[in-house]
Amino acid sequence: MSTAPSAAPRLTALDALHRSLGATMTDFAGWDMPLRYASERDEHNAVRTRAGLFDLSHMGEITVTGPQAAAFLSYALVGNIATVGAGRARYTMIVAEDGGILDDLIVYRLADTEYMVVANAGNAQVVLDTLTARAGGFDTEVRDDRDAYALLAVQGPDSPAVLKSVTDADLDGLKYYAGLPGTVAGVPALIARTGYTGEDGFELFVAPAHAEQLWSALTEAGAPYGLIPCGLSCRDTLRLEAGMPLYGHELTTALTPFDAGLGRVVKFEKEGDFVGREALTAAAERAETAPPRKLVGLIAEGRRVPRAGYPVVAGGEVVGEVTSGAPSPTLGKPIAMAYVDAAHAAPGTEGVGVDIRGTHEPYEVVALPFYKRRK
């Protein structure tokens, strides 16, 4: 019995360059992406202390335009998009009617009636299809722009200095969660400042045809600062240390934003109805009366690394589940994020462990994030 071949992974505009640099490639959400170039620890530490350069072209860009674009997005998403100023960005979510999280998103307001929704790679098609389905009745257009952009990111404390050397854009005036059009190393770009590493940094949305030119220019400009190329592996340990959720781990369709401790992104006060309002109202009330499991940090006392799905235990009972775990280069110990029962969620709670293949390894419960950069 034969099976149909799986679709070949998509390639970013920088694929040949990654291979020329000796990157270890991996299939991620249907894309062939660099996992690491050499040492994951070196890449992680470069971002924490100097600067790192990432290819994030697998992210999904969806453009929403039209006179009712803001009203439509406020209906389709849980946030109040109408209050996002031009040139600013907002973290928000798209949920199902039952309140389950379909994806977490960043929405950029590019112009008065033009927005760019950036979805996670694995959810981009679902988000596109869902937005398209919800656009009926609104004077707006939803456009798939995934092929229109390559996305590079410079992250780390030296990233402003690196970028300033190749652009005259007003980086000092570019606030966190904002974006502005500019030219970087001769390449037209949307320069954003959102980040997913816990460090300062910039995201550069450019035409795929310009990606190699920009990568090379940033590599050259960053050389005096110790900038190195970085893969998805260190991106994961960086965001884990920073306590940032990853879809499919801390966020799923089985959880509402209130279950995930992110109820603040739901704006009940906005005008008009929005998808999931009724279910999320009930979820908010449940969270008040019977707190759901809480997302916490766990730091190992030993050396064994917890992985997603491992049970969190206390007093011989399962009290939670690990959602993400890895060795922390910054802390020098294994760390994890986990949803645990409220009774065991307070920082310093004693007697909590992780069941790692039958052995209950002791862990310290801490507040997130594990790491916060100095301003």
Side-chain angles (χ1 to χ4, degrees):
M1 178 176 163
S2 64
T3 56
S6 58
R10 297 180 69 176
L11 307 180
T12 78
L14 294 165
D15 182 74
L17 190 148
H18 297 317
R19 294 174 193 281
S20 74
L21 292 173
T24 299
M25 306 296 287
T26 187
D27 186 332
F28 183 83
W31 290 80
D32 219 7
M33 297 295 295
L35 186 65
R36 72 182 74 82
Y37 296 85
S39 160
E40 295 167 5
R41 179 178 294 271
D42 288 350
E43 292 171 26
H44 180 109
N45 290 335
V47 175
R48 282 279 177 260
T49 60
R50 304 184 306 278
L53 178 59
F54 295 84
D55 178 10
L56 305 179
S57 302
H58 60 311
M59 301 295 282
E61 296 87 6
I62 301 162
T63 302
V64 177
T65 57
Q68 291 187 295
F72 159 64
L73 286 170
S74 288
Y75 164 76
L77 310 177
V78 301
N80 188 356
I81 306 306
T83 62
V84 179
R88 297 309 301 266
R90 182 156 298 167
Y91 177 81
T92 188
M93 294 183 182
I94 184 168
V95 301
E97 285 281 3
D98 67 0
I101 302 168
L102 297 176
D103 200 14
D104 61 334
L105 312 165
I106 296 178
V107 178
Y108 296 88
R109 187 172 186 176
L110 303 181
D112 189 38
T113 59
E114 182 180 2
Y115 296 80
M116 181 169 69
V117 178
V118 180
N120 286 297
N123 298 330
Q125 191 64 49
V126 169
V127 173
L128 175 67
D129 293 344
T130 304
L131 287 176
T132 302
R134 293 178 184 178
F138 289 92
D139 187 359
T140 189
E141 178 193 351
V142 177
R143 186 174 73 237
D144 180 3
D145 269 349
R146 283 176 288 180
D147 291 336
Y149 293 102
L151 176 57
L152 281 64
V154 186
Q155 296 282 304
D158 286 336
S159 57
V162 173
L163 204 56
K164 281 178 183 177
S165 69
V166 288
T167 184
D168 57 4
D170 180 17
L171 299 184
D172 290 335
L174 183 64
K175 296 175 179 166
Y176 188 52
Y177 265 75
L180 83 166
T183 301
V184 182
V187 171
L190 170 66
I191 307 168
R193 197 173 202 167
T194 57
Y196 190 59
T197 62
E199 300 298 338
D200 193 8
F202 302 88
E203 297 75 46
L204 307 170
F205 295 86
V206 301
H210 293 149
E212 279 204 34
Q213 176 186 336
L214 183 56
W215 179 282
S216 297
L218 290 168
T219 298
E220 185 176 341
Y225 298 93
L227 174 145
I228 60 173
C230 296
L232 293 182
S233 184
C234 84
R235 181 170 156 87
D236 191 49
T237 52
L238 289 160
R239 70 91 195 169
L240 177 55
E241 288 182 351
M244 294 179 171
L246 176 64
Y247 196 88
H249 289 255
E250 289 72 40
L251 309 174
T252 71
T253 53
L255 298 171
T256 72
F258 293 94
D259 297 322
L262 292 167
R264 64 182 180 276
V265 305
V266 181
K267 303 301 180 185
F268 291 116
E269 70 276 13
K270 61 183 172 179
E271 285 186 28
D273 195 15
F274 65 92
V275 177
R277 178 190 277 273
E278 188 175 337
L280 291 174
T281 300
E285 292 170 355
R286 285 197 306 273
E288 286 291 325
T289 57
R293 282 183 165 177
K294 187 176 180 182
L295 189 64
V296 302
L298 299 174
I299 299 179
E301 294 182 17
R303 309 303 305 172
R304 298 186 72 186
V305 179
R307 299 298 183 188
Y310 284 10
V312 179
V313 293
E317 301 290 327
V318 175
V319 298
E321 185 176 303
V322 171
T323 53
S324 297
S328 165
T330 304
L331 276 64
K333 299 177 179 179
I335 60 173
M337 287 199 281
Y339 282 110
V340 303
D341 294 345
H344 300 277
T349 300
E350 295 184 354
V352 173
V354 175
D355 185 339
I356 300 181
R357 300 195 176 104
T359 303
H360 292 186
E361 299 286 340
Y363 274 75
E364 178 188 359
V365 180
V366 299
L368 293 169
F370 299 97
Y371 167 86
K372 193 176 284 187
R373 70 182 171 96
R374 295 192 185 101
K375 299 295 184 185

